[in-house]
Amino acid sequence: NAGVTQTPKFQVLKTGQSMTLQCAQDMNHEYMSWYRQDPGMGLRLIHYSVGAGITDQGEVPNGYNVSRSTTEDFPLRLLSAAPSQTSVYFCASGALSGANVLTFGAGSRLTVL
Amino acid sequence: ILNVEQSPQSLHVQEGDSTNFTCSFPSSNFYALHWYRWETAKSPEALFVMTLNGDEKKKGRISATLNTKEGYSYLYIKGSQPEDSATYLCAFRNNNDMRFGAGTRLTVKP
């Protein structure tokens, strides 16, 4: 049981480049979400999804796109990377019913030069 | 706006001390309050999920209480050990959205 798998673990981009962070879960969770972690700010919600075909914005959605074409996958796209998007990104998933305890991926460290 | 506040921001205690920290959250549209433990270089792991006012949860030396009417939760650690050193995050869930506080970073000195 792989849980939540994020790729890549590390990425360096130049300003203006685009890229996609991949997230996949094998637990049949309806809920998936992306957070970014910055020093002193904890985890801030970027986007989330409650099922295939359904996405919504979190606290800091600007500069990011998401889609949810399958239950398993929830990629996060940076359309035109900016230095302010340098951060560690975490994907998390959970069951919508009941407690919705989140299972987190290992994180992706992104540096934008 | 879902403001989740945690205090203190950081805490240094001696091994054997008991300690507690606070999470405050909006008292309206409450669905659940989560506590996660986050060790350096790892991913957050769930400690507790509480849904009812007055809930108390316990796991070993760690326990948590919940007051949904006034919008706060306490996490207690009894007899802290160096392996308890971590950042403790609380997260407020209102329907589908889940927002995290900035965390309390606990350091337990041997």
Side-chain angles (χ1 to χ4, degrees), chain B residues 16-83:
Chain B
D17 287 350
S18 294
T19 187
N20 66 84
F21 15 97
T22 306
C23 172
S24 61
F25 52 87
S27 54
S28 59
N29 297 321
F30 177 86
Y31 193 91
L33 192 284
H34 294 212
W35 281 99
Y36 290 81
R37 183 171 180 273
W38 194 2
E39 291 182 73
T40 303
K42 294 187 178 180
S43 303
E45 292 184 347
L47 279 173
F48 304 116
V49 178
M50 294 181 287
T51 56
L52 298 175
N53 185 42
D55 258 356
E56 292 188 24
K57 299 272 181 163
K58 187 174 181 183
K59 185 184 290 188
R61 294 178 291 99
I62 305 177
S63 60
T65 61
L66 178 68
N67 183 324
T68 60
K69 293 184 179 178
E70 296 181 40
Y72 66 84
S73 174
Y74 294 134
L75 188 80
Y76 300 91
I77 302 180
K78 186 177 177 182
S80 303
Q81 299 296 309
E83 58 263 31

Side-chain angles (χ1 to χ4, degrees), chain A residues 6-102:
Chain A
Q6 277 183 244
T7 56
K9 286 194 186 315
F10 302 95
Q11 183 73 50
V12 178
L13 289 177
K14 293 181 180 177
T15 297
Q17 286 185 313
S18 62
M19 77 155 298
T20 299
L21 296 175
Q22 302 290 347
C23 177
Q25 52 92 8
D26 60 359
M27 297 170 283
N28 204 30
H29 285 162
E30 304 97 333
Y31 182 89
M32 296 187 75
S33 53
W34 278 102
Y35 294 87
R36 59 177 288 173
Q37 185 231 341
D38 301 293
M41 302 189 80
L43 294 170
R44 290 187 291 168
L45 182 64
I46 304 171
H47 286 283
Y48 66 97
S49 168
V50 297
I54 306 170
T55 64
D56 209 343
Q57 295 181 348
E59 302 169 79
V60 288
N62 293 340
Y64 306 95
N65 263 4
V66 291
S67 59
R68 185 96 179 267
S69 55
T70 66
T71 299
E72 294 79 19
D73 300 298
F74 191 46
L76 179 73
R77 296 183 188 85
L78 280 71
L79 307 172
S80 177
S84 60
Q85 293 178 303
T86 294
S87 188
V88 181
Y89 292 84
F90 285 91
C91 178
S93 74
L96 264 185
S97 60
N100 192 23
V101 172
L102 294 182

